[in-house]
Amino acid sequence: MVDLTRYIRDLIQKNGPLPVNEFMALALGHPAHGYYMKQDPFGAAGDFTTAPEISQIFGEMIGMWGAHTWLSMGSPERVVLLECGPGRGTLMADILRSTKNVPGFHSAVQVHLLEMSPVLKDKQKDMLESYDPHWHEGLDSVPGDGPTIVVANEFLDALPVRQIVQTPDGPQERMVDIDGGELCFRPAGRVLAEPAPARDHFIRQLCTRLRQATGAALLIDYGYEKAGPGDTLQALHKHEYCDVLEHIGDSDITAHVNFEAVKNIAGDMGMAVHGPAGQGAFLHEMGIGYRVDALKAQNPEYAVGLDSALHRLTAQDQMGTLFKVMGIGHGFDFTKTGFAV
Ligand code: SAH
């Protein structure tokens, strides 16, 4: 979006170069021109497709995990079911649809959604109206005194990262700057680390929140298990990778999630941590293969589509390995459902 590029250029001219995380926060979240703030980015007409948008079978497996977690908590009479970054609301709709026959679950569930985008809030409203959801812009306002189950799919990768690069003068922070009137990254050099202060803060807040009573969260994202050097910042525009500085406000900018860091923070805060497991392994543990067989038996005309969805969600060369699933829990017997090795 030209407006946002110009806005960022003016800002740098006025105040000096921007750290990558401040740039990313503006590109995604500028109130008027930020990527998530002004449009629905999903699906064939959009920029990228997420697991819940591929097929209902993804949300059904997450629903099974949620219902199982609630049962392990002792079927509390009230449970906050919070989704962070719900997109179009498809995942939550599939979770709720697929668990409606779990006795007592729906009367216990209170649906809460953490979402910053007004456009996506409207979509979520359409999709989830009958469940009477409550919206939040941060974790602070989510009721914290009772059992809680949290799910987040491709939420953590949207939280801004900083980048530290190797230069002849030693490690330095990579900035967005102006060169000949155009935006550029400076200084040049190999990316050594991607500190993610906003993500770390979110995980700390989430753990604090889950520790207040019984609580568990399922975090699903494109990410890596062991921290290593490397630039994982990427931009997707109309299903193609593009330069991060090219379609600002019209491309989805993400950074892969450092699950080692998430695990360390959660572990230090006394949480039980499961995984990360590959998304394929997790979904198979949850029985996605059996679900596909059952759906195919009922609807033979959908067999090809179901097989292709299963492949995209679980195959190693698709989303099965690069996408990871991590469970964190506290205050109950947090069984390893989905994480058995
Ligand atoms: N979970 C959905 C959408 C993933 S895209 C799916 O799998 O399809 C990321 C989502 O997180 C969008 O809904 C976006 O608006 C939201 N989001 C990104 N950064 C956020 C922030 N800082 N606070 C609240 N919501 C945010």
Side-chain angles (χ1 to χ4, degrees):
M1 180 89 189
V2 174
D3 286 346
L4 193 52
T5 303
R6 188 177 305 141
Y7 173 84
I8 289 173
R9 221 185 302 149
D10 290 350
L11 195 70
I12 294 172
Q13 246 142 18
K14 213 162 66 190
N15 301 337
L18 279 176
V20 170
N21 62 330
E22 290 179 28
F23 162 78
M24 190 171 164
L26 280 172
L28 298 179
H30 180 281
H33 307 300
Y35 178 68
Y36 285 118
M37 305 305 270
K38 62 173 195 190
Q39 64 212 326
D40 172 0
F42 306 103
D47 298 297
F48 63 105
T49 304
T50 56
E53 302 295 335
I54 290 175
S55 168
Q56 66 180 57
I57 53 179
F58 179 78
E60 289 172 352
M61 296 305 110
I62 310 302
M64 297 257 292
W65 176 87
H68 188 93
T69 300
W70 175 72
L71 289 167
S72 320
M73 288 172 165
S75 313
E77 261 174 46
R78 282 264 163 276
V79 66
V80 166
L81 178 59
L82 168 69
E83 182 173 0
C84 304
R88 287 179 167 171
T90 309
L91 174 57
M92 185 56 91
D94 287 336
I95 290 174
L96 291 167
R97 179 183 45 74
S98 62
T99 53
K100 64 174 186 292
N101 293 327
V102 178
F105 187 52
H106 274 216
S107 49
V109 158
Q110 246 183 24
V111 176
H112 291 261
L113 306 169
L114 178 73
E115 178 57 67
M116 68 173 179
S117 160
V119 180
L120 292 173
K121 262 182 221 171
D122 280 345
K123 295 253 165 190
Q124 294 154 18
K125 209 169 275 172
D126 292 345
M127 188 79 101
L128 299 166
E129 201 152 36
S130 59
Y131 299 105
D132 196 15
H134 305 266
W135 278 271
H136 305 270
E137 307 235 323
L139 282 176
D140 289 339
S141 55
V142 181
D145 48 354
T148 303
I149 296 173
V150 181
V151 297
N153 184 61
E154 293 209 48
F155 171 71
L156 295 176
D157 69 355
L159 301 183
V161 297
R162 297 169 57 195
Q163 291 191 315
I164 308 300
V165 292
Q166 177 73 289
T167 77
D169 304 323
Q172 284 186 21
E173 176 145 22
R174 199 183 185 203
M175 312 290 272
V176 177
D177 204 348
I178 301 174
D179 186 18
E182 300 292 322
L183 293 176
C184 68
F185 285 113
R186 244 204 292 261
R190 196 166 72 104
V191 175
L192 295 172
E194 289 183 330
R199 199 182 286 156
D200 294 353
H201 175 74
F202 175 82
I203 297 295
R204 256 182 245 114
Q205 240 190 332
L206 178 67
C207 294
T208 305
R209 176 66 192 67
L210 294 176
R211 288 177 56 95
Q212 276 174 257
T214 47
L218 195 68
L219 309 172
I220 309 162
D221 240 301
Y222 200 156
Y224 47 94
E225 206 168 337
K226 280 259 166 280
D231 180 359
T232 77
L233 200 67
Q234 62 184 35
L236 265 175
H237 178 65
K238 299 194 192 302
H239 299 268
E240 305 263 357
Y241 289 105
C242 69
D243 191 310
V244 172
L245 300 176
E246 203 178 350
H247 295 284
I248 303 170
D250 288 322
S251 69
D252 182 37
I253 304 181
T254 56
H256 299 180
V257 173
N258 177 350
F259 277 103
E260 186 179 17
V262 176
K263 188 175 198 157
N264 288 341
I265 294 172
D268 287 348
M269 292 186 67
M271 309 290 294
V273 181
H274 302 329
Q279 176 173 297
F282 177 85
L283 292 174
H284 278 298
E285 277 295 324
M286 294 306 305
I288 198 168
Y290 299 101
R291 178 63 182 148
V292 165
D293 288 345
L295 284 169
K296 275 162 54 176
Q298 286 162 16
N299 314 280
E301 69 276 25
Y302 295 140
V304 173
L306 284 162
D307 280 335
S308 133
L310 179 66
H311 181 73
R312 283 180 73 185
L313 292 169
T314 62
Q316 268 196 28
D317 61 348
Q318 302 282 316
M319 300 175 81
T321 310
L322 295 172
F323 278 78
K324 308 236 179 316
V325 186
M326 179 176 269
I328 60 180
H330 184 81
F332 69 110
D333 179 17
F334 184 33
T335 50
K336 294 189 92 172
T337 306
F339 293 97
V341 240

